[in-house]
Amino acid sequence: MKISVIGAGYVGLTTAACLAQIGHDVFCSESDIEKLTKLQNGVMPLFEPYLEDVLRAGRKAGRLRFGSTEDAIAWGDAIFICVGTPPLPNGDADLSAIEGVARSIAKQASGYRLVIEKSTVPVQTGAQLQKHLSVHSRNGLTYDVASNPEFLREGSSVEDFLHPDRIVIGVDSPRAEDLLRQIYEPIISQRFACPVHSDCPTRKGPIFLATDTNSAELIKHASNSFLAMKISFINMVANLCEVVGADVTKVAQGMGLDPRIGSSFLNPGIGFGGFCFPKDVQAFIRIAEKSGCDFSLLKEVEKINQRRVEHFVEKIRKELWVLRGKKVAVWGLAFKPNTDDVRFAPSITLVKALLTEGVEVRAYDPEAIEKSRAVLPEVTYCADAYQAAEGADAIVIVTEWDEFRQMDWERLLSSVEQPLVIDGRNVFSPEEIRRQGFRYVSIGRVDALPWQPDAREKIDPSSLPADNSMHEIPA
Ligand SMILES: NC(=O)c1ccc[n+]([C@@H]2O[C@H](COP(=O)([O-])OP(=O)(O)OC[C@H]3O[C@@H](n4cnc5c(N)ncnc54)[C@H](O)[C@@H]3O)[C@@H](O)[C@H]2O)c1
């Protein structure tokens, strides 16, 4: 099918590349000229595992091209809108980019178009789009509007798009449902050449859930808000663990064994970030408010999340005493591993707070340095995690990149000012790091031994309490 994708960000680019991969003829547009030029020249404007290969394959097969939104509107029988919906100061989703695209479709397109909102939008946006298209159409346009919320995760977007657990569509006509089924048929039946695995033919296809448009729109906001709630919940449990001397890892494990709860999203840390959870929770709160529903539960979720970085800074302060003039190595800036995205990342709030306190921040991230520079110009960016740690009073782990699990701690021990690791993602077991001669502080675990004046002398592991007796260690 001839398909257009408007907006070549994390979602649009993945959608365009994967739809070409499964056999469609795709035209992807981007309004940011620098980004568009890069894409037209085969240069990646963002980092996402496997995406570059899929884009290259699509272009080589002649099934994927990039250009203007005007040309995209002329191209596709189905048009996926994948533009950004950032938060306005009052928490509402800013729908101006969506509105702009809808107006262009109405004015430029003729004949039939299936207009699909893939961007995350408030409930009833589909109805607004219908109205907008009808008011502004000029050339005998006929159309259906459908909602098709996207559940991919940055860092595994290609895999998530091609192997989703569910495809949700919101449609108000059989024609729209039929077209969307045709578009996704290769994914529903899992029949396509997979760029990620060699064994996918045996994989189970996704559930294809067709609802009305309003319900589909709500599914997306409700899902993200629920996941955010889980994170804030476990973060509060972590706070409690720190006070009463329990281990949040074990509490989460015990909770997650209950299939009604499940183990995912029970990892405590310095809070959720990224371009989805913070803004989607805010938007959902506003949707509820405007509908006269008191969803104060979500306000609490947001508040707990906002306090995470403050709580973490207090941990750093407790260890370093005076912050002014201290050198802190920040490992990880992206809001999660395997992406270069720093939008609403906790790292940004944390680094800003440290800089305000007069800390010298030396940061390293495998992929996100370029994007961080634009928002945090005062930071010293380092070529690797070792360089960041040179002369540091503390190594602070903010993003749980895999490479941080493979560090040479002996080398680090000889280059830091103080052997101290403050881990915002519980990457390590306390014992593991203490065995390397470092003092270790993490989230929701009573893991720091009382300060040892000469921690550079490696601790004899046999002198440490067994992991399961952490509660016996004085805080
Ligand atoms: N990032 C995620 O993990 C994720 C996951 C699911 C859903 N979403 C939702 O998908 C939407 C897009 O998110 P994203 O992360 O891809 O955002 P993004 O900012 O990376 O991409 C949006 C792109 O659209 C472009 N754009 C804006 N107006 C345009 C126009 N008129 N014509 C062509 N291009 C235009 C922008 O320049 C930008 O490159 C948002 O609503 C988001 O909430 C995001």
Side-chain angles (χ1 to χ4, degrees):
M1 192 183 299
K2 281 174 79 177
I3 294 175
S4 298
V5 175
I6 315 280
Y10 291 86
V11 167
L13 209 47
T14 305
T15 302
C18 291
L19 289 176
Q21 178 76 19
I22 64 172
H24 297 295
D25 276 325
V26 182
F27 192 111
C28 180
S29 81
E30 171 54 53
S31 59
D32 177 332
I33 297 300
E34 199 185 322
K35 224 186 226 184
L36 178 61
T37 309
K38 277 187 177 173
L39 287 165
Q40 286 173 324
N41 292 317
V43 178
M44 285 297 286
L46 54 88
F47 171 75
E48 190 57 44
Y50 301 106
L51 188 52
E52 191 169 1
D53 293 344
V54 186
L55 284 173
R56 197 180 304 118
R59 286 162 61 96
K60 202 168 155 210
R63 286 201 298 268
L64 179 59
R65 64 240 0 108
F66 296 95
S68 68
T69 297
E70 195 177 342
D71 289 344
I73 289 169
W75 173 269
D77 302 313
I79 303 176
F80 282 86
I81 305 179
C82 300
V83 299
T85 47
L88 288 167
N90 68 357
D92 277 342
D94 180 352
L95 300 178
S96 54
I98 301 251
E99 196 253 16
V101 173
R103 191 181 286 246
S104 303
I105 294 172
K107 292 203 165 154
Q108 291 161 27
S110 57
Y112 176 82
R113 293 291 189 284
L114 174 61
V115 178
I116 306 152
E117 23 160 82
K118 196 170 249 318
S119 303
T120 303
V121 291
V123 63
Q124 294 178 340
T125 300
Q128 292 293 347
L129 278 177
Q130 295 262 11
K131 207 155 75 183
H132 206 70
L133 289 169
S134 140
V135 168
H136 294 285
S137 71
R138 292 285 179 272
N139 305 308
L141 171 71
T142 57
Y143 56 85
D144 277 303
V145 171
S147 161
N148 173 215
E150 182 52 60
F151 301 102
L152 65 76
R153 297 160 298 175
E154 284 178 31
S156 54
S157 71
V158 172
E159 186 172 0
D160 292 346
F161 193 95
L162 294 172
H163 302 295
D165 37 31
R166 77 254 205 231
I167 293 171
V168 173
I169 63 160
V171 284
D172 302 311
S173 83
R175 183 178 189 178
E177 178 172 346
D178 186 47
L179 282 171
L180 276 158
R181 269 188 199 276
Q182 280 179 44
I183 291 171
Y184 282 114
E185 213 305 304
I187 293 179
I188 295 167
S189 60
Q190 288 288 288
R191 275 204 305 267
F192 54 85
C194 179
V196 182
H197 319 94
S198 47
D199 65 341
C200 356
T202 58
R203 278 187 175 238
K204 223 171 95 231
I207 306 274
F208 188 84
L209 176 66
T211 71
D212 59 283
T213 310
N214 283 344
S215 303
E217 289 166 341
L218 267 184
I219 285 170
K220 176 65 189 176
H221 266 132
S223 300
N224 275 4
S225 299
F226 188 84
L227 292 174
M229 180 180 74
K230 253 185 127 176
I231 297 173
S232 280
F233 186 90
I234 201 66
N235 279 334
M236 279 313 293
V237 174
N239 282 1
L240 191 57
C241 285
E242 285 172 8
V243 178
V244 302
D247 182 337
V248 70
T249 316
K250 287 171 186 157
V251 177
Q253 186 188 5
M255 288 169 64
L257 287 171
D258 183 334
R260 293 170 304 175
I261 296 173
S263 58
S264 58
F265 282 77
L266 287 182
N267 302 318
I270 63 170
F272 56 78
F275 194 52
C276 290
F277 285 4
K279 79 170 173 59
D280 291 351
V281 170
Q282 273 182 32
F284 207 34
I285 291 170
R286 289 287 297 154
I287 292 164
E289 262 171 16
K290 287 194 273 187
S291 314
C293 299
D294 179 9
F295 215 150
S296 47
L297 171 67
L298 286 182
K299 290 186 187 159
E300 217 34 62
V301 168
E302 203 184 19
K303 234 188 274 168
I304 292 166
N305 198 55
Q306 281 161 356
R307 284 193 225 113
R308 290 315 286 167
V309 169
E310 272 167 49
H311 182 73
F312 195 63
V313 171
E314 282 319 306
K315 276 181 186 284
I316 301 174
R317 194 194 309 284
K318 196 171 153 204
E319 294 303 317
L320 295 183
W321 182 30
V322 175
L323 290 180
R324 181 161 299 280
K326 294 280 162 59
K327 250 187 210 175
V328 167
V330 170
W331 284 4
L333 295 159
F335 83 95
K336 63 188 273 193
N338 300 321
T339 179
D340 59 351
D341 197 351
V342 295
R343 290 176 293 180
F344 304 103
S347 64
I348 306 295
T349 323
L350 172 69
V351 169
K352 281 186 176 162
L354 293 177
L355 291 170
T356 307
E357 296 266 5
V359 170
E360 183 189 334
V361 176
R362 299 168 60 79
Y364 167 70
D365 187 286
E367 295 292 341
I369 289 184
E370 201 185 314
K371 294 209 161 130
S372 303
R373 269 186 217 282
V375 261
L376 297 169
E378 312 90 328
V379 167
T380 305
Y381 291 99
C382 300
D384 58 32
Y386 294 105
Q387 196 185 69
E390 277 167 23
D393 292 283
I395 294 170
V396 167
I397 303 177
V398 181
T399 315
E400 63 277 35
W401 285 93
D402 260 352
E403 68 174 73
F404 300 150
R405 297 177 216 271
Q406 332 283 341
M407 301 302 291
D408 176 346
W409 290 96
E410 209 163 310
R411 178 175 164 192
L412 285 163
L413 194 60
S414 61
S415 75
V416 292
E417 173 68 22
Q418 294 189 49
L420 169 64
V421 174
I422 307 180
D423 183 353
R425 299 293 180 188
N426 286 3
V427 173
F428 299 102
S429 78
E431 222 188 309
E432 214 178 331
I433 297 299
R434 286 208 302 265
R435 201 178 293 131
Q436 304 294 339
F438 281 76
R439 183 171 163 77
Y440 182 71
V441 177
S442 63
I443 305 281
R445 303 184 291 192
V446 183
D447 42 20
L449 282 175
W451 180 247
Q452 309 214 343
D454 196 3
R456 269 159 216 264
E457 273 174 36
K458 280 204 175 180
I459 295 171
D460 171 9
S462 62
S463 71
L464 295 173
D467 218 5
N468 60 4
S469 63
M470 274 329 147
H471 57 283
E472 290 167 14
I473 305 165

